[in-house]
C-alpha cells in the first residue's frame, strides 16, 4: 500500500463509505434546508464518508404542490445550491441533493451532484408519478431523451441529462449513478443502464410517503436492483419536517450490496440521521467480471457506456484508518440469519441427502460402504447416508460401516465410531489395518518395518491408502458403493491422500461442505432432533474431539497428532477459501477482512448456539502466517487432487472445487503472484 493508503485504511482495499441522509426538512424553506444539508455533510466528513445521498427535492421539500411553480421559491433553491457548494469546498463527501431546477422554460425534479464546491452534474427524474396521491406532471417535465446537455447553476455551468455517471479519478471503482424515487418503481429503472455503463453504486433520492407495507416494498426493490445490477444501492426517503397535509413520511434510509442489506435507518425518527456503511466496490467489479450474463446484458442494451457521459472528479480520499462499518462474518459458509437458520440448514443437509439418493439409485449396488473413524467427516457422511436410506425406504443395515484402527487410533475415536454405528443401526464391522500396513512398510524397506519410530509421509499414507483400498474391495465383494467422507476444506488445502486414499470414492457427499459448516450442520441435526437422543449425545461428543488424522502415534507427552497445529485453524482457512474462491479477492484484502472478523472475540455476532469455549481470536501476524500457508496449498500444491476428484453435490453459494463446477485451474501453477501480493501489502 502507498503511504497515503496504508493497510489499515478501507480505501486501500476497494471500499467506499456511503451514507443515506435524512435531514430535518423545513417545508418550502430552501435556506433552512441548505443549512440542514450542510450540517449532515459536515457530520459525514467527520465520519470519513465518501458519498452522501439526500432525499428527493430536499432543498425545497417535496410536498409543497403548486409552490414548486413559484419563482421566488425556485430562486431560493438556486441560492441554496450555491450555499451548499460553497460550504462543502473543504469537505470530503460527494453530495447528491434533491432540487427543482429550471431549464429552457421547463421545471425538472433533479439530483444535483456536488463535490468540493463543484457541481459535477444534474440528473433529471425520468418517470413522473401521476396516479393516486401523486401529481408530479402538474409541475415537472420528464428527463426523457435529455442527453448531452448543460444547465446553469449558481456560478457554474454543469452537465445535465439522464446520461451521467460520476467517477472518482483517484479511488478505483468509486463510480455512481443517480435516479429519483419513481424511477426504480418503473419496469426499466434508469439505474440498470447506469450499472451497465459502469456505475458500481446506484443512488436513489426519494420522497416516498409512507403507507402500510411500503417500507418492505422499498427494501425489496433495493435488494432486487442491487442483485440484478450487481451493485450497491443507496436509498434515502423523505422524513421529518415534510408537510403532512395529506401524507406522512418515515425517513427510511437503506444501503444494500448485491442483495445484502448493510444498514437501515430508524424510521419515524424526529432527529436528523446519517446511516453509514462501507460498500465493497472492488467485490462488485470482480463479480461483474465473473458473470457473463451482466456483460451480455450490456451488449444487448447496445453498450450503455457509449451513451453515457462519465463525469470525472478528484475525490482526494483521506486514506485514514477509520475502521470498517460493515459486518464481516467470521463463518461465511455458516447460516447467520436467526430467522432462516432451520431453512438454511435443512437445505444444506438435504442437498447432500438428495445428491446421494440420486447417485446411489443410478448404480447397480445394493449397499453403501463407508469408513467410520469417529471423526467429523465420516460422522457427517454417515448421517447423510442414514437419511438417504430412510428416504429410499431401505433399512439402515444396507450401510456397511467399517472402522479400521491404525497405529495411532485412539480409544475415544474408536469407541465413538462403534457407538455411532450401533446407534444408527447400520451393519458395523472392524478391520485392523496394522498387520497389512506393517507388512507393506516392511516390503517397502521402510524403517518402521525394522522397528524404528519413523513417522514420515509414507508411513501416514500407507495407512490412509489401505483404508480406502479395503473399502473399494469390500464394495466389489458386497455389491457396494463407496461413500467419500472428505470435505471442501480438505480439498482446498490438499489435506487428503491422492488416488487410493481418502481423496477417492464413488461419490463424495461432503465435497461441497467446508469444516465450519459441517460442524454447524451436525449441531443442527442434534438441536432439531433429526436422530434419537442417544445418537445426539454421541454426535456432540464427536464434535468435541480434536480434529486429527490419527496416523502418527502420540508423542512422549501423550499429545496426539493435530491437523490444525500443522496446517492452521480450519475456521481461518474456510474464511480464506470463501473470499478467494467466491470473489477472487487479493490476499491482502482477505487478510484485512479476516483481521476485522477475527481480532476480537467479543466483537460482532457469532452463529447461534456456537460454543462459548470455541470462540477464538487471531492477530494479524497469525492471520498472515496461515493465509500464506493457504495460498501455497491452494494455488500450487493441491490442484491435481481436485482435478481428479469424484462426483459430489455443490452445497453452498460460496462455491465448490469440482473441475466440472465452480473451479477450473491448472495442476502445475505457482502461488508466487498471490504470495507476493500478500507480502507487499500486508504488514508483518
Amino acid at each position: 500500500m502507498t503511504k497515503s493508503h496504508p493497510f489499515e485504511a478501507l480505501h486501500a482495499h476497494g471500499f467506499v463509505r456511503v451514507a443515506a441522509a435524512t435531514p430535518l426538512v423545513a417545508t418550502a424553506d430552501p435556506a433552512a434546508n441548505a443549512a440542514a444539508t450542510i450540517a449532515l455533510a459536515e457530520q459525514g466528513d467527520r465520519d470519513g464518508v465518501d458519498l452522501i445521498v439526500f432525499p428527493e427535492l430536499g432543498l425545497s421539500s417535496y410536498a409543497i404542490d403548486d409552490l414548486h411553480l413559484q419563482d421566488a421559491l425556485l430562486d431560493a433553491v438556486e441560492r441554496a445550491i450555491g450555499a451548499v457548494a460553497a460550504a462543502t469546498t473543504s469537505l470530503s463527501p460527494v453530495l447528491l441533493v434533491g432540487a427543482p431546477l429550471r431549464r429552457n422554460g421547463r421545471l425538472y425534479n433533479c439530483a444535483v451532484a456536488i463535490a468540493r464546491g463543484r457541481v459535477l452534474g444534474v440528473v433529471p427524474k425520468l418517470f413522473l408519478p401521476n396516479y393516486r396521491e401523486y401529481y408530479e406532471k402538474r409541475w415537472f417535465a420528464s428527463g426523457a431523451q435529455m442527453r448531452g446537455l448543460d444547465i446553469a447553476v449558481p456560478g457554474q455551468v454543469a452537465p445535465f441529462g439522464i446520461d451521467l455517471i460520476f467517477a472518482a479519478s483517484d479511488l478505483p471503482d468509486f463510480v455512481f449513478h443517480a435516479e429519483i424515487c419513481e424511477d426504480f418503481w418503473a419496469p426499466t429503472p434508469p439505474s440498470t443502464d447506469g450499472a451497465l455503463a459502469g456505475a458500481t453504486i446506484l443512488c436513489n433520492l426519494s420522497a416516498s410517503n409512507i403507507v402500510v407495507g411500503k417500507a418492505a416494498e422499498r427494501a425489496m426493490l433495493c435488494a432486487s436492483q442491487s442483485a440484478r445490477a450487481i451493485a450497491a444501492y443507496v436509498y434515502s426517503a423523505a422524513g421529518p419536517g415534510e408537510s403532512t397535509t395529506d401524507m406522512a413520511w418515515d425517513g427510511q434510509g437503506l444501503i444494500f450490496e448485491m442483495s445484502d442489506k448493510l444498514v437501515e435507518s430508524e424510521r419515524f425518527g424526529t432527529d436528523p440521521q446519517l446511516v453509514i456503511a462501507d460498500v465493497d466496490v472492488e467485490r462488485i467489479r470482480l463479480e461483474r467480471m465473473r458473470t457473463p450474463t451482466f456483460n451480455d446484458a450490456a451488449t444487448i442494451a447496445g453498450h450503455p457506456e457509449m451513451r453515457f457521459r462519465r463525469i470525472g472528479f478528484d475525490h482526494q480520499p483521506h486514506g485514514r484508518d477509520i475502521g470498517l462499518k460493515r459486518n464481516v462474518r467470521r463463518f461465511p459458509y455458516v447460516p447467520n440469519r436467526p430467522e432462516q437458520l432451520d431453512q438454511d440448514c435443512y437445505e444444506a443437509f438435504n442437498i447432500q441427502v438428495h445428491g446421494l439418493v440420486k447417485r446411489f439409485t443410478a448404480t447397480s449396488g445394493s449397499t453403501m460402504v463407508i469408513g467410520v473413524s469417529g471423526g467429523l467427516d465420516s460422522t457427517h457422511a454417515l448421517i447423510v447416508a442414514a437419511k438417504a436410506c430412510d428416504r429410499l425406504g431401505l433399512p439402515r443395515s444396507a450401510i456397511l460401516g467399517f472402522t479400521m484402527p491404525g497405529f495411532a487410533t485412539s480409544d475415544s475415536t474408536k469407541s465413538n465410531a462403534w457407538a455411532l454405528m450401533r446407534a444408527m443401526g447400520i451393519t458395523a464391522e472392524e478391520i485392523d489395518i496394522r498387520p497389512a500396513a506393517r507388512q507393506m512398510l516392511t516390503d517397502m524397506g521402510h524403517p518402521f518395518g525394522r522397528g524404528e519410530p519413523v513417522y514420515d509421509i509414507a508411513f501416514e499414507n500407507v495407512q490412509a491408502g489401505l483404508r480406502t483400498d479395503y473399502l473399494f474391495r469390500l464394495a466389489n465383494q458386497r455389491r457396494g458403493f463407496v461413500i467419500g467422507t472428505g470435505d471442501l476444506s480438505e480439498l482446498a488445502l490438499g489435506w487428503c491422500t491422492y488416488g487410493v486414499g481418502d481423496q477417492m470414492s464413488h461419490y463424495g457427499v461432503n465435497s461441497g461442505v467446508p469444516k465450519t459448516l459441517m460442524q454447524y450442520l451436525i449441531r443442527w441435526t442434534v438441536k432439531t432432533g433429526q436422530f434419537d437422543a442417544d445418537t445426539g449425545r454421541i454426535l456432540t461428543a464427536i464434535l468435541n474431539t480434536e480434529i486429527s488424522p490419527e496416523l502418527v502415534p502420540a508423542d512422549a507427552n501423550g499429545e496426539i497428532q493435530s491437523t490444525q497445529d500443522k496446517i492452521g485453524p480450519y475456521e481461518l482457512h474456510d474464511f480464506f477459501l470463501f473470499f478467494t474462491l467466491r470473489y477472487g479477492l487479493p490476499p491482502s484484502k482477505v487478510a484485512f477482512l479476516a483481521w476485522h472478523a477475527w481480532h476480537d472475540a467479543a466483537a460482532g455476532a457469532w452463529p447461534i448456539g456456537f460454543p462459548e469455549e470455541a470462540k477464538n481470536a487471531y492477530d494479524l501476524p497469525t492471520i498472515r502466517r496461515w493465509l500464506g500457508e493457504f495460498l501455497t496449498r491452494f494455488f500450487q500444491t493441491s490442484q491435481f487432487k481436485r482435478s481428479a476428484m469424484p462426483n459430489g453435490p455443490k452445497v453452498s453459494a460460496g462455491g465448490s472445487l469440482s473441475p466440472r463446477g465452480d473451479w477450473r485451474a491448472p495442476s502445475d501453477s505457482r502461488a508466487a503472484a498471490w504470495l507476493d501480493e500478500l507480502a507487499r501489502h500486508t504488514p508483518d
Side-chain angles (χ1 to χ4, degrees), residues 254-283:
L254 296 161
I255 302 174
F256 278 76
E257 178 183 308
M258 289 167 55
S259 82
D260 293 330
K261 184 171 72 174
L262 302 184
V263 70
E264 181 175 5
S265 67
E266 176 190 354
R267 296 173 57 223
F268 301 107
T270 56
D271 297 319
Q273 291 187 71
L274 200 66
V275 292
I276 301 170
D278 296 329
V279 301
D280 191 343
V281 290
E282 181 181 50
R283 172 194 177 213

Side-chain angles (χ1 to χ4, degrees), residues 441-493:
L441 290 165
T442 300
D443 293 343
M444 290 168 55
H446 190 278
F448 184 83
R450 300 190 297 270
E452 299 177 28
V454 176
Y455 310 127
D456 56 10
I457 189 66
F459 175 82
E460 294 187 33
N461 282 348
V462 160
Q463 297 171 79
L466 275 172
R467 287 182 173 127
T468 304
D469 199 4
Y470 271 118
L471 292 176
F472 274 101
R473 304 297 75 79
L474 288 161
N476 294 153
Q477 181 189 41
R478 307 185 190 188
R479 298 190 66 241
F481 176 87
V482 178
I483 297 174
T485 61
D487 61 55
L488 183 70
S489 306
E490 293 178 341
L491 285 165
L493 297 166

Side-chain angles (χ1 to χ4, degrees), residues 320-333:
R320 304 191 308 270
D321 178 5
I322 54 173
L324 190 66
K325 289 185 178 293
R326 179 186 182 89
N327 176 39
V328 183
R329 292 163 56 188
R330 292 179 175 90
F331 299 97
Y333 288 105

Side-chain angles (χ1 to χ4, degrees), residues 17-21 44 49-54 234 236 255 274-277:
R17 181 160 290 183
V18 302
V49 175
D50 298 298
L51 173 66
I52 305 177
V53 180
F54 288 83
V234 187
S236 176
I255 302 174
L274 200 66
V275 292
I276 301 170

Side-chain angles (χ1 to χ4, degrees), residues 380-504:
H380 189 64
L382 177 55
I383 62 178
V384 169
K387 281 293 183 184
C389 282
D390 296 347
R391 194 76 51 84
L392 289 165
L394 293 174
R396 290 185 185 172
S397 57
I399 301 172
L400 310 183
F402 295 90
T403 186
M404 293 178 279
F407 296 116
T409 300
S410 67
D411 290 339
S412 63
T413 55
K414 181 179 174 180
S415 63
N416 280 341
W418 270 107
L420 181 63
M421 291 190 292
R422 290 188 180 111
M424 300 300 293
I426 70 170
T427 302
E429 297 184 33
E430 180 175 320
I431 297 176
D432 187 343
I433 67 167
R434 287 173 294 182
R438 186 174 284 108
Q439 183 63 52
M440 181 178 286
L441 290 165
T442 300
D443 293 343
M444 290 168 55
H446 190 278
F448 184 83
R450 300 190 297 270
E452 299 177 28
V454 176
Y455 310 127
D456 56 10
I457 189 66
F459 175 82
E460 294 187 33
N461 282 348
V462 160
Q463 297 171 79
L466 275 172
R467 287 182 173 127
T468 304
D469 199 4
Y470 271 118
L471 292 176
F472 274 101
R473 304 297 75 79
L474 288 161
N476 294 153
Q477 181 189 41
R478 307 185 190 188
R479 298 190 66 241
F481 176 87
V482 178
I483 297 174
T485 61
D487 61 55
L488 183 70
S489 306
E490 293 178 341
L491 285 165
L493 297 166
W495 194 250
C496 50
T497 301
Y498 182 70
V500 184
D502 54 332
Q503 179 259 352
M504 188 49 61

Side-chain angles (χ1 to χ4, degrees), residues 200-395:
T200 55
I201 303 171
L202 310 178
C203 308
N204 191 303
L205 297 77
S206 184
S208 189
N209 64 299
I210 185 62
V211 294
V212 174
K214 194 173 185 180
E217 182 181 8
R218 296 176 190 138
M220 178 273 293
L221 289 170
C222 289
S224 175
Q225 187 65 347
S226 71
R228 288 180 181 277
I230 310 180
Y233 203 94
V234 187
Y235 178 89
S236 176
E242 281 286 356
S243 171
T244 57
T245 300
D246 288 301
M247 293 178 286
W249 317 85
D250 65 335
Q252 186 177 27
L254 296 161
I255 302 174
F256 278 76
E257 178 183 308
M258 289 167 55
S259 82
D260 293 330
K261 184 171 72 174
L262 302 184
V263 70
E264 181 175 5
S265 67
E266 176 190 354
R267 296 173 57 223
F268 301 107
T270 56
D271 297 319
Q273 291 187 71
L274 200 66
V275 292
I276 301 170
D278 296 329
V279 301
D280 191 343
V281 290
E282 181 181 50
R283 172 194 177 213
I284 290 167
R285 173 177 54 80
L286 288 168
E287 185 69 358
R288 289 176 177 179
M289 283 173 55
R290 68 183 65 238
T291 308
T293 303
F294 184 88
N295 303 319
D296 289 345
T299 301
I300 292 167
H303 292 292
E305 65 183 287
M306 297 191 294
R307 301 191 298 272
F308 272 77
R309 288 176 285 172
R310 193 179 183 97
I311 309 301
F313 62 97
D314 294 329
H315 182 52
Q316 303 171 39
H318 52 74
R320 304 191 308 270
D321 178 5
I322 54 173
L324 190 66
K325 289 185 178 293
R326 179 186 182 89
N327 176 39
V328 183
R329 292 163 56 188
R330 292 179 175 90
F331 299 97
Y333 288 105
V334 173
N336 72 328
R337 297 168 294 171
E339 69 278 9
Q340 287 292 318
L341 177 61
D342 283 345
Q343 178 67 21
D344 288 350
C345 288
Y346 164 82
E347 287 183 348
F349 188 65
N350 279 282
I351 286 169
Q352 293 181 267
V353 172
H354 180 76
L356 180 56
V357 165
K358 169 61 179 174
R359 188 68 175 83
F360 182 68
T361 57
T363 73
S364 59
S366 57
T367 62
M368 300 180 189
V369 177
I370 184 170
V372 183
S373 68
L376 194 68
D377 293 344
S378 64
T379 294
H380 189 64
L382 177 55
I383 62 178
V384 169
K387 281 293 183 184
C389 282
D390 296 347
R391 194 76 51 84
L392 289 165
L394 293 174

